[in-house]
Amino acid sequence: MRDETVKLALPAAGDATERPISIAIVAMGGQGGGVLTDWIVQLAENHGWVAQSTSVPGVAQRTGATIYYIEAMPPLDGRKPILSLMPTPGDVDVVMAAEFMEAGRSILRGLVTPDRTTLIASNHRTFAIGEKIAPGNGIADKGAVTGAIGIAAKTEIIFDMNALAIANGSVISAAMFGALAGAGVLSFSHDSYLDVIRAGDKGAQASIRAFEAAYDRVQSKAPEPVTPVQSETAKTPPAPAALDPRLAGLAARLTQELPDAAHAIGRAGLKKVVDFQDVAYGGEYLDILGKLHAADRSAGGAARNFAFTGAAAKYLANAMTYDDVIRVADLKTRSGRRARIEGDLELSAGQVLQTTEFMHPRMEEVMGMLPAGFARWLGAKPGLLGWLDRRVNKGRRVRTYSLPWFVALYVVGGLRGIRRRSLRHAIETAHRDEWVKSATEAVRTNYQLGVEVLQCRRLVKGYSDTHSRGLSKFDKTLAAIKLVAPREDAADWARRLREAALKDSAGKELDGVIQTIKSFA
Amino acid sequence: MAERSFAREVEDLRLGDGDTFRGEGILAITKALLQSGVAYVGGYQGSPISHLMDVLADAKDVLDDLGVVFQSSANEAAAAAMLSASVMYPLRGAVAWKSTVGTNVASDALANLASGGVTGGTMIIVGEDYGEGSSIMQERTHAFAMKSQIWLLDPRPDHECIVNLIEKGFELSEVSNTPVMLEVRVRACHMHGSFACKDNVKPAHTIKDALNNPKRDVGRIVLPPAAYEHEQEKIKTRMPAAINFVRDNRLNEWMGPKQGKVGIIMQGGMYNNVIRALQYLGLSDAYGNTQIPLYVMNVTYPVIDTEVAEFCLDKDAVLIVEEGQPEYLEQAINTVLRRRDIQARVHGKDVLPMGGDYTAQVLLGGVREFLEKTDPRLLGNRPPAPDATAVLSHPEVEKLKQVVPARPPGLCTGCPERPIFAAMKLVESELGEHHVSADIGCHLFSILPPFNIGATTMGFGLGPASTSAFNVKADKRSIAVMGDGGFWHNGLTSGIGNAVFNKHDGVFVIVDNYYTSATGGQDILSSRAVSKRRNTNNSIVQAVKGIGGQWVRQIDRTYDVGRMRDTLKEALTTKEQGPKVIVASSECMLNKQRRVKPQISKAIKDGVRTVKERFGVDEDVCTGDHACIRLSGCPSLSVKQLDDPLRDDPVAAIDNSCVGCGNCGEVAEAAVLCPSFYRADVIHNPTGWDKFKSKVAMAVIGWLQRRRDRRRPALEALA
């Protein structure tokens, strides 16, 4: 820049620095951002201001992320202000985000800056498709947004406006309008906001309730009501007396044989296992867990707070409670299940509920239930098997709470007695033992690797094709782990393998990592 | 029935002298047409023009009072051809569409119209879908205006200015016997603003008058020798007439001081953002009181040479603010100045980006660079301009870049197109990937996750035509997807007819959801709604058979994923020759909900037995693999983290926005996914028999459940 330019003082042309109030509403299509926009425009116009709003309907509105933009300013002796059609990074007074990641997006667009922006955001999540389709846990980290807000926003008003709106029988736009009023960034009175809502016909009452609730929430700065999270550690171990006598023994064993670190998770596991089969099965669970804990101790687990035993308690329980037909039928016919659905639907008296299950049993599932020997004999008869499969293998609409269907499910759900002798149980047990064995071997030489091997159990899930895909990923991963086992960084590779396997369903990422491993191992 | 009802907006069309219109730009434009005394209006919907079409469709009474003929045209070409009514008769007419895509389709008719010229004023309203939020290729309508010599209006984004320019535009069209285009950008169309209304004007000459007194003049028809005369007319008569009118009526605007070392020349549409940029530089106030001379071209074609020369004469340099490429205006203005040997230096795309939105931020940079090069004193001591870079470069914000997920548009909750693509996914897993040509419409979302289906899209209704090269014997067949909108727009002939005629052995899926849904749910020939003013309920299947299609399958419930999958498989494998056409029909859920929701709640209120369906997931049965989501992507099918120490991954969950379309269950069943989905049917106002049945069943069921619960060890105490 040339020297002369800095020294020259240039008188500002009129109120050059006085700019209109600018409000950006970032939302997803169908979130009522349009309604909110119209309200704000109306509000400004009611005060004699010139207000301009723009938006981009069309395909962007079909659940995609979109921006509504408003500018408003009083006219100057009859002259209208010239208003911009798009927000300018660093020059937005209020950003209203109808979803938490959208708040994050607005920060990335530079709309939120510490010198001027009040950020009004609902911290509830509507997951993007990318977060939902991951076979593992693809949910984005809210913390990152919270962190960035602290940096970017001048003032922040963050709470679950969606929940508040629903609680008041309304939609998020009303709550956000209330939050805007509460924030007091605009020089308009509380009542003038209400006038705008009242002018609109539909659902004005509900909107006003949500508006007021949000307004008070902001004004009083009341902390967000935290719903008590039931963390397993929060629960105190039960007094044995209160326990079912058949369980008391197991509970006692658990506390004696396992380190404190593994008690809570162990109890959860024990509960799941017994619930799946019976008390004896719970004993079996503790037996295996005991052996694994012994390996843990001799591998110096004490120094590591027995992470190995903890992981074992968790994943062994999952391995022992495989999803077979009996389990599904049992879960579907429980009393608690119907109660839960009635709760979700807020069923009122005088309404009748019926549910339909979409089941598609194949001969594989039936074989799984049969005694192992007989099932294997049957398996050797492809002709007969095919004939049977053609009769079994079709989609079935099961009317859960019609007597015939319920009784059928109830009977299947009660087949625990034959489960231990079933083919599925034989297969699962063999697979489980193999996995336990390799974990035990691993932990001897490389503690963390042992833990990782246990955690690979996470890969086995789903039904039918999904299940077999999971199994093959599991086997591939364990095979690959064997290749790197001798290395120092074996555990890191194991973790990498598992994480890759959870990224895409086809397992392309996993194969990639395996290739890398083969390149050096 | 359109996605939105415009009953209220229609009332705005009745406003008259002394009233103030407050509302969307596109509606202001609609009102301006009526104030200009149009005799007929046509067009084709598409953002940002849809609302214009929807309002007029709902405004029958208003139009009838004025004697205005309104038609939603079959496509943009039909709309453009409609303007031929103004060739011989003094009828004012207007048509509207999304541009440049619509203008592409219309260009043949437009070229013929512009060649012969018009008697009555004709206006083409083009919604310039350029820049952020656009759904089409990034091009300029400007080229069409120049090549056919159609005057191009680009008004400042201000209702008053737009309305005035429409009224003047019709006069311009008449004095120069040339059609006029009004270009409005997306945000200007959806911009809320106000203007002082005038009374609507009945057309002086009506369509009926014209029909009763036919006129012809072979000299207006594009055929040699007339065609050559038209070109000479364009150059010698029409262009000068237009230039004089634009100049005499001051359609272009001078702003700011008369004198100045430098000045800015801009398209009218750029004005607001230029002012904002100048404000950031301390060179204008919020009310447009600028310290730099501005020449605002509300007419960007033709360029008024004398005005440009006058503006540049005493200046060292001018900046040309012209959005998009190529830089037609910059080139034209350079020619003007060189011919007259005016020394003002011309800046433009050298300091401003060649492509993309000219936002206030972009213009701030460009104008600042221009002034630094030409007249730095103006920048004075440089007031601080808005700047977010400090925040954006902060590590916390950098980290956020990796976290915030993309949120592409997708199919709505309960969309009937979802099961079609779920079925295609299932077929893909059996028969392998195929070459799929996509088309324009909601179904184009199939190219995005989770479906990732579709290789190309070549324009509205051209999905089938774009597979025409793949007409050879091979192990696999090509698949083309096309919507009902595209089918009637041109796909029947360009796609199906073409395939029949050339014996194309491919598969053609026609997605029939009863409306042109992507553009806002307008009615078309095959819409199922009975309309008094239009002829609907014309079967696509009949049309396909009528044009010679032999292998045609109608699927009346797209949600039947199993049937959908089997039909696709049959189409891909059958020995039969020629095109395999599958018409998959179910109503657009967005429109259906608008239609049935009130009916249902009324029925429930009136005590009528009503069954409400909704889907759910048994969270203890779901293993959190999300395979179901990979075959759906429904907004209401999401995931939730369970409070269970034994679970790592979130399970599937369905929120209360579910409309019970059935897709989840059908997919779980057809794909043999898992048994965790259930459909809950809630019977409102059940009959005595309903109650009795459920009472008896639940009595027995309850007894059985208690029996088993007794045998279970009391686990609650544990953990």
Side-chain angles (χ1 to χ4, degrees):
Chain A
M1 190 190 318
R2 264 175 278 160
D3 185 40
E4 53 178 319
T5 62
V6 274
K7 298 203 189 66
L8 278 166
L10 184 87
D15 310 325
T17 50
E18 187 193 313
R19 295 201 286 269
I21 285 278
S22 52
I23 303 173
I25 299 169
V26 294
M28 293 160 312
Q31 270 197 320
V35 178
L36 182 56
T37 306
D38 295 346
W39 276 345
I40 296 171
V41 167
Q42 192 58 55
L43 179 67
E45 287 185 342
N46 289 352
H47 290 79
W49 290 31
V50 176
Q52 173 181 290
S53 70
T54 62
S55 65
V56 183
V59 288
Q61 290 287 308
R62 303 271 191 257
T63 73
T66 183
I67 291 192
Y68 305 79
Y69 184 59
I70 304 159
E71 286 196 356
M73 189 174 193
L76 184 67
D77 44 56
R79 284 167 62 221
K80 282 189 185 176
I82 309 302
L83 301 175
S84 175
L85 284 76
M86 275 181 253
T88 303
D91 190 30
V92 183
D93 298 298
V94 185
V95 169
M96 305 179 77
E99 198 268 353
F100 205 49
M101 279 301 149
E102 292 315 309
R105 201 185 310 282
S106 69
I107 292 173
L108 291 177
R109 297 181 67 133
L111 301 184
V112 186
T113 43
D115 55 326
R116 65 187 304 142
T117 314
T118 301
L119 176 63
I120 299 172
S122 176
N123 60 7
H124 78 283
R125 283 304 327 279
T126 304
F127 299 122
I129 186 66
E131 300 175 273
K132 297 196 285 186
I133 57 178
N137 184 353
I139 297 177
D141 162 33
K142 277 176 104 174
V145 180
T146 316
I149 290 174
I151 302 303
K154 179 183 177 194
T155 323
E156 53 181 274
I157 292 171
I158 315 284
F159 61 94
D160 190 335
M161 302 179 191
N162 194 49
L164 182 141
I166 291 166
N168 290 277
S170 183
V171 288
I172 190 165
S173 43
M176 296 184 76
F177 198 48
L180 177 65
V185 262
L186 307 183
S187 57
F188 307 134
S189 74
H190 168 274
D191 289 355
S192 59
Y193 284 79
L194 288 178
D195 297 340
V196 172
I197 303 180
R198 289 205 192 91
D201 43 4
K202 274 212 273 57
Q205 283 320 312
S207 301
I208 289 172
R209 273 201 306 281
F211 172 90
E212 293 291 11
Y215 180 84
D216 299 340
R217 175 86 171 67
V218 176
Q219 288 283 305
S220 63
K221 298 273 179 299
E224 185 154 7
V226 280
T227 48
V229 179
Q230 296 198 323
S231 80
E232 68 275 11
T233 47
K235 294 176 197 137
T236 48
L243 260 181
D244 181 308
R246 291 171 294 176
L247 282 175
L250 293 182
R253 263 188 70 189
L254 186 141
T255 10
Q256 292 156 10
E257 298 172 10
L258 295 188
D260 298 359
H263 282 177
I265 191 80
R267 273 195 302 277
L270 181 59
K271 183 182 175 191
K272 188 172 186 179
V273 170
V274 174
D275 185 53
F276 173 79
Q277 178 63 19
D278 50 31
V279 175
Y281 204 48
E284 203 175 321
Y285 171 70
L286 288 182
D287 297 342
I288 306 172
L289 208 49
K291 292 203 193 71
L292 286 162
H293 180 48
D296 191 355
R297 266 201 314 277
S298 51
R304 291 190 170 79
N305 196 20
F306 296 110
F308 185 76
T309 312
K314 174 177 179 177
Y315 292 102
L316 178 62
N318 290 336
M320 290 177 75
T321 58
Y322 49 88
D323 306 280
D324 64 353
V325 182
I326 301 170
R327 176 166 187 270
V328 171
D330 179 29
L331 291 172
K332 293 271 185 187
T333 49
R334 292 189 177 199
S335 49
R337 188 250 184 174
R338 184 174 166 108
R340 196 186 69 242
I341 296 175
E342 287 178 352
D344 292 351
L345 295 169
E346 289 153 1
L347 206 71
S348 60
Q351 295 176 344
V352 173
L353 169 71
Q354 175 60 271
T355 66
T356 306
E357 317 294 337
F358 297 81
M359 301 191 164
H360 191 138
R362 306 167 306 166
M363 200 50 203
E364 286 92 321
E365 278 77 39
V366 180
M367 299 250 293
M369 279 195 297
L370 301 174
F374 175 60
R376 292 215 169 80
W377 171 84
L378 195 62
K381 306 252 175 309
L384 175 58
L385 201 59
W387 185 84
L388 286 166
D389 189 59
R390 278 191 292 285
R391 268 134 205 81
V392 176
N393 189 345
K394 56 171 80 107
R396 294 169 198 278
R397 304 290 170 90
V398 177
R399 305 278 288 173
T400 331
Y401 300 105
S402 70
L403 275 182
W405 272 120
F406 185 88
V407 171
L409 288 173
Y410 186 81
V411 171
V412 176
L415 291 177
R416 282 202 180 75
I418 66 165
R419 182 186 257 152
R420 282 167 173 280
R421 272 172 282 117
S422 72
L423 175 63
R424 178 74 188 269
H425 190 72
I427 296 171
E428 291 289 341
T429 317
H431 193 264
R432 181 189 78 206
D433 296 344
E434 193 48 41
W435 162 67
V436 168
K437 188 155 141 289
S438 29
T440 324
E441 283 163 8
V443 78
R444 279 205 204 89
T445 55
N446 180 336
Y447 190 90
Q448 190 50 33
L449 182 61
V451 179
E452 295 293 339
V453 170
L454 286 174
Q455 290 176 339
C456 286
R457 191 73 214 181
R458 180 179 175 186
L459 302 182
V460 184
K461 54 180 171 179
Y463 299 78
S464 60
D465 298 354
T466 323
H467 182 257
S468 39
R469 202 163 43 242
L471 267 180
S472 77
K473 277 184 182 176
F474 175 87
D475 298 339
K476 274 190 195 171
T477 310
L478 255 59
I481 288 178
K482 286 213 164 33
L483 294 179
V484 288
R487 294 171 56 97
E488 276 290 303
D489 58 356
D492 302 341
W493 282 106
R495 201 190 63 256
R496 247 170 249 139
L497 283 161
R498 191 179 65 250
E499 280 165 2
L502 284 165
K503 278 219 162 53
D504 67 306
S505 62
K508 288 197 185 75
E509 298 246 3
L510 175 61
D511 296 341
V513 182
I514 292 177
Q515 284 314 314
T516 330
I517 286 177
K518 285 188 173 151
S519 67
F520 59 72
Chain B
M1 171 171 65
E3 195 172 303
R4 257 179 74 180
S5 161
F6 287 84
R8 198 204 62 72
E9 286 78 359
V10 167
E11 290 316 303
D12 293 343
L13 296 182
R14 298 182 185 275
L15 297 174
D17 279 331
D19 298 329
T20 304
F21 170 99
R22 293 183 190 285
E24 225 183 351
I26 195 68
L27 303 180
I29 290 169
T30 316
K31 172 73 169 98
L33 293 178
L34 301 183
Q35 293 183 178
S36 308
V38 288
Y40 65 96
V41 185
Y44 195 86
Q45 58 271 8
S47 167
I49 289 301
S50 292
H51 289 182
L52 184 152
M53 301 300 293
D54 295 341
V55 172
L56 290 177
D58 289 358
K60 187 176 185 311
D61 306 348
V62 185
L63 297 178
D64 289 351
D65 296 349
L66 294 169
V68 177
V69 174
F70 169 70
Q71 212 170 81
S72 9
S73 316
N75 59 34
E76 294 83 355
M82 190 183 182
L83 293 173
S84 68
S86 302
V87 170
M88 291 311 304
Y89 309 100
L91 297 167
R92 286 190 170 183
V95 295
W97 55 67
K98 178 190 189 85
S99 195
T100 55
V101 283
T103 317
N104 293 334
V105 174
S107 54
D108 189 11
L110 287 181
N112 280 282
L113 182 76
S115 182
V118 296
T119 307
T122 58
M123 173 131 353
I124 302 138
I125 313 279
V126 292
E128 189 84 336
D129 194 10
Y130 181 88
E132 187 191 15
S134 165
S135 54
I136 58 169
M137 73 292 292
Q138 297 300 283
E139 292 183 353
R140 300 180 62 182
T141 306
H142 201 103
F144 290 89
M146 294 194 302
K147 82 162 179 66
S148 301
Q149 192 170 314
I150 297 172
W151 315 136
L152 184 61
L153 311 183
D154 188 345
R156 280 186 290 116
D158 167 71
H159 287 18
E160 208 82 54
C161 175
I162 295 172
V163 170
N164 171 51
L165 222 63
I166 289 173
E167 292 168 341
K168 284 274 179 246
F170 279 103
E171 294 176 38
L172 169 63
S173 173
E174 281 154 0
V175 299
S176 61
N177 304 105
T178 305
V180 171
M181 267 188 187
L182 179 90
E183 171 186 343
V184 266
R185 294 168 181 78
V186 183
R187 284 183 180 267
C189 286
H190 297 301
M191 178 179 86
H192 171 98
S194 63
F195 72 94
C197 298
K198 297 194 194 121
D199 291 332
N200 294 334
V201 176
K202 285 194 175 199
H205 197 86
T206 67
I207 297 280
K208 196 189 268 168
D209 302 334
L211 264 180
N212 294 337
N213 314 287
K215 277 202 224 140
R216 68 183 295 274
D217 170 4
V218 74
R220 297 288 116 225
I221 298 170
V222 182
L223 196 75
Y228 305 114
E229 290 159 14
H230 294 162
E231 188 181 26
Q232 295 310 312
E233 264 179 48
K234 278 181 172 179
I235 300 163
K236 298 203 174 79
T237 332
R238 301 185 205 165
M239 174 73 84
I243 290 173
N244 291 337
F245 183 90
V246 172
R247 200 184 44 232
D248 302 347
N249 289 272
R250 286 292 193 162
L251 296 191
N252 296 324
E253 299 169 285
W254 270 261
M255 313 229 183
K258 282 274 151 288
Q259 305 305 323
K261 280 178 67 186
V262 299
I264 303 177
I265 299 175
M266 73 196 75
Q267 297 166 302
M270 298 293 107
Y271 174 72
N272 290 34
N273 287 352
V274 169
I275 287 296
R276 180 58 51 84
L278 290 173
Q279 212 185 335
Y280 290 144
L281 293 168
L283 293 170
S284 169
D285 69 6
Y287 302 88
N289 171 18
T290 162
Q291 299 190 358
I292 295 187
L294 307 179
Y295 174 57
V296 181
M297 300 175 73
N298 292 316
V299 181
T300 49
Y301 180 79
V303 171
I304 314 301
D305 298 10
T306 52
E307 289 185 348
V308 171
E310 193 188 330
F311 183 79
C312 299
L313 196 53
D314 53 3
K315 296 195 172 46
D316 297 356
V318 292
L319 172 68
I320 292 159
V321 177
E322 174 187 18
E323 196 174 55
Q325 55 100 30
E327 69 282 52
Y328 299 114
L329 288 178
E330 197 173 332
Q331 291 164 9
I333 288 166
N334 267 302
T335 313
V336 173
L337 299 186
R338 292 283 62 72
R339 287 229 177 95
R340 291 175 163 67
D341 195 26
I342 293 171
Q343 291 311 311
R345 281 210 318 290
V346 175
H347 293 277
K349 296 292 184 182
D350 56 338
V351 293
L352 285 162
M354 185 55 100
D357 281 309
Y358 277 8
T359 61
Q361 186 190 22
V362 168
L363 290 169
L364 169 62
V367 174
R368 186 194 279 133
E369 190 182 339
F370 166 69
L371 292 178
E372 270 165 3
K373 284 185 174 176
T374 56
D375 191 3
R377 292 161 174 276
L378 281 174
L379 293 170
N381 45 5
R382 300 169 194 253
D387 183 5
T389 47
V391 172
L392 291 176
S393 54
H394 191 287
E396 284 282 342
V397 179
E398 285 284 342
K399 197 171 85 205
L400 195 59
K401 286 201 186 84
Q402 318 309 323
V403 176
V404 173
R407 205 185 288 276
L411 301 172
C412 307
T413 298
C415 176
E417 303 181 4
R418 178 168 291 111
I420 299 175
F421 295 111
M424 285 177 82
K425 266 309 202 207
L426 296 179
V427 173
E428 186 181 283
S429 63
E430 278 184 68
L431 304 181
E433 271 194 56
H434 286 70
H435 176 88
V436 179
S437 293
D439 203 309
I440 308 296
C442 301
H443 43 82
L444 184 57
F445 296 149
S446 66
I447 65 175
L448 301 169
F451 296 118
N452 307 306
I453 292 175
T456 57
T457 167
M458 285 294 116
F460 200 30
L462 294 175
S466 50
T467 59
S468 49
F470 304 99
N471 185 11
V472 293
K473 286 270 158 291
D475 307 340
K476 290 178 178 177
R477 285 174 178 158
S478 66
I479 303 176
V481 180
M482 164 168 68
D484 46 0
F487 178 82
W488 294 116
H489 183 277
N490 73 79
L492 170 60
T493 52
S494 70
I496 306 305
N498 183 67
V500 169
F501 183 66
N502 294 300
K503 300 188 162 216
H504 185 175
D505 199 27
V507 177
F508 302 87
V509 180
I510 299 171
V511 180
D512 165 26
N513 55 25
Y514 307 5
Y515 312 88
T516 57
S517 298
T519 60
Q522 290 77 9
D523 283 336
I524 41 173
L525 272 158
S526 53
S527 292
R528 310 288 172 106
V530 182
S531 162
K532 269 189 240 67
R533 300 201 320 283
R534 304 211 182 92
N535 180 327
T536 52
N537 286 287
N538 301 287
S539 146
I540 292 176
V541 170
Q542 288 310 316
V544 169
K545 288 183 173 158
I547 208 169
Q550 300 296 326
W551 197 102
V552 188
R553 299 282 184 275
Q554 163 86 54
I555 293 178
D556 264 321
R557 209 174 59 83
T558 59
Y559 300 100
D560 189 340
V561 174
R563 178 151 168 246
M564 194 70 226
R565 174 201 56 202
D566 299 342
T567 315
L568 274 164
K569 267 170 68 184
E570 189 195 349
L572 286 165
T573 51
T574 174
K575 293 271 164 293
E576 251 184 86
Q577 297 298 307
K580 327 283 179 288
V581 181
I582 302 172
V583 181
S585 314
S586 277
E587 181 172 13
C588 165
M589 188 54 79
L590 219 55
N591 288 273
K592 184 178 179 183
Q593 288 300 314
R594 273 195 57 232
R595 200 165 51 73
V596 301
K597 247 195 184 140
Q599 297 170 1
I600 291 176
S601 37
K602 184 178 185 308
I604 292 176
K605 217 192 268 103
D606 300 353
V608 183
R609 181 185 188 273
T610 317
V611 183
K612 264 188 158 180
E613 295 182 348
R614 194 188 126 178
F615 275 73
V617 172
D618 281 307
E619 56 193 34
D620 40 13
V621 179
C622 173
T623 62
D625 168 77
H626 315 147
C628 52
I629 297 173
R630 290 191 289 276
L631 282 171
S632 162
C634 179
S636 69
L637 173 58
S638 188
V639 293
K640 76 169 174 196
Q641 204 84 48
L642 289 182
D643 174 33
D644 176 353
L646 298 173
R647 297 280 203 121
D648 293 303
D649 300 321
V651 297
I654 296 178
D655 65 29
N656 51 17
S657 69
C658 172
V659 294
C661 71
N663 183 65
C664 290
E666 296 270 2
V667 167
E669 190 179 75
V672 201
L673 281 184
C674 83
S676 39
F677 282 99
Y678 63 82
R679 193 187 72 227
D681 309 352
V682 178
I683 308 179
H684 297 253
N685 313 314
T687 62
W689 175 237
D690 289 325
K691 288 185 190 147
F692 173 76
K693 254 193 330 192
S694 123
K695 210 176 166 105
V696 173
M698 288 318 294
V700 181
I701 290 171
W703 179 80
L704 287 170
Q705 287 172 330
R706 282 191 298 280
R707 174 173 167 279
R708 185 160 285 165
D709 288 346
R710 271 199 306 278
R711 300 173 176 207
R712 285 209 177 85
L715 292 159
E716 294 61 35
L718 248 190

